[in-house]
Amino acid sequence: MFNIILFGPPGSGKGTQSARLVEQYGLIHLSTGDLLRSEISRKTALGMEAKAIMDRGELVPDAVVVGMIASALDHNPMAKGFLFDGFPRTVAQSEALDNLLHQKKTSIGVVLAMQVSEEELVKRLLNRGLTSGRSDDNSEEVVRARIVEYHKKTSVVADYYRKFDKVVEIKGEGSVEEILLLLCSEIDKRLSN
Ligand code: ADP
C-alpha cells in the first residue's frame, strides 16, 4: 500500500491535482472538505454543525474529521493506497492518522507540499467562488481567515512529517500539467524503491 498526503494552503490546487493522481495511481481519494460538504448537502446533524464553522473559515473539530477518515479507511479494506487531501490539518490529526494507518499495518509514503504565494491563493479562491457555489469562497474575509487558520494550525503539520523525512516541496504555480509532472516524478521515485 502506498499512501500520499497532498499538503498545502487553501487554494494551492490539492483538489485539482488529487483528481488526476487518484486516476493515474488507482488510489482512493479522501478529501475531508468533500466529505464535510457531502454531510452538508445531506443535511445531517454533523453537516449542520460543520457548516457554521466552515462558513467562518475555521477548522472543524479534530474528532469529527478523524472519525470520518477512520470510517473511510474501514470501508476500503482492499485499497491500493489512499490520497489524503485537506487532511491532516492539525498535529493532532496527523498523530491520529499515523495511529489509524499503523493499525492497518501501513503508513504515509510521502507528503507532497504545494507552495503557492499568498496573493495567488486569494486570487484563485475568490475566482473559484464565482462558479463553485462554495459559500466559503465568496468573501475575501473568509478566504483570508482560512489562510490565517492554515498558518496558525496547519503549516506545523509539514514540520511534524519533516521529522520523519517525508516531506517534498513542490512548486504549485504553473500549468496544471506541469505541476502534475512534478508530483508524479516524486511519487514514481518512491514507488520504484
Ligand atoms: P480548501 O483547501 O480550499 O480550504 P477544503 O475543502 O479542504 O478546501 O476545506 C474546506 C473547509 O472544510 C475548511 O476551511 C475547514 O473548515 C473544513 N475542513 C476540511 N478539512 C478539514 C480538516 N482536516 N480539519 C478541520 N477542518 C477541515
Side-chain angles (χ1 to χ4, degrees), residues 61 64 95 167 179:
V64 171
E95 289 168 348
V167 181
I179 300 164

Side-chain angles (χ1 to χ4, degrees), residues 8-11 14 31-34 36-37 50 53-55 57-62 65 85-90 93 125 128 134 136-137 146:
K14 302 185 297 290
S31 155
T32 40
D34 287 351
L36 289 165
R37 281 185 289 278
I53 301 171
M54 290 163 75
D55 282 346
E58 294 166 10
L59 295 186
V60 307
D62 290 334
V65 288
D85 160 10
F87 177 89
R89 258 175 155 98
T90 63
Q93 290 178 23
L125 289 166
R128 183 169 77 186
R134 273 180 57 171
D136 61 345
D137 285 341
R146 281 155 62 199

Side-chain angles (χ1 to χ4, degrees), residues 2-7 13-30 80-85 110-114 170 176-188 191:
F2 191 75
N3 305 300
I4 299 169
I5 295 176
L6 197 54
F7 183 80
K14 302 185 297 290
T16 305
Q17 296 295 342
S18 289
R20 287 164 171 78
L21 292 172
V22 292
E23 185 168 338
Q24 185 147 339
Y25 295 98
L27 304 170
I28 304 272
H29 183 198
L30 293 183
K80 279 169 69 179
F82 293 93
L83 187 141
F84 298 95
D85 160 10
V110 68
V111 178
L112 300 167
M114 316 254 279
I170 302 284
V176 170
E177 291 308 318
E178 278 164 4
I179 300 164
L180 181 63
L181 282 177
L182 296 173
L183 294 166
C184 290
S185 115
E186 292 300 332
I187 295 170
D188 293 342
L191 284 178

Side-chain angles (χ1 to χ4, degrees), residues 38-52:
S38 149
E39 297 280 339
I40 293 173
S41 66
R42 287 182 282 123
K43 299 197 163 52
T44 64
L46 189 158
M48 294 303 93
E49 187 198 330
K51 181 172 173 26

Side-chain angles (χ1 to χ4, degrees), residues 46-136:
L46 189 158
M48 294 303 93
E49 187 198 330
K51 181 172 173 26
I53 301 171
M54 290 163 75
D55 282 346
R56 292 197 299 269
E58 294 166 10
L59 295 186
V60 307
D62 290 334
V64 171
V65 288
V66 169
M68 291 193 316
I69 291 290
S71 116
L73 294 180
D74 285 343
H75 280 98
N76 290 285
M78 305 303 281
K80 279 169 69 179
F82 293 93
L83 187 141
F84 298 95
D85 160 10
F87 177 89
R89 258 175 155 98
T90 63
V91 170
Q93 290 178 23
S94 313
E95 289 168 348
L97 176 61
D98 281 356
N99 284 329
L100 288 170
L101 293 177
H102 186 73
Q103 284 165 27
K104 307 226 175 268
K105 311 223 173 330
T106 183
S107 62
I108 292 299
V110 68
V111 178
L112 300 167
M114 316 254 279
Q115 316 283 315
V116 176
S117 77
E118 190 135 335
E119 281 326 294
E120 173 74 12
L121 294 175
V122 174
K123 207 171 78 188
R124 286 185 189 179
L125 289 166
L126 291 175
N127 204 29
R128 183 169 77 186
L130 299 175
T131 53
S132 69
R134 273 180 57 171
S135 47
D136 61 345

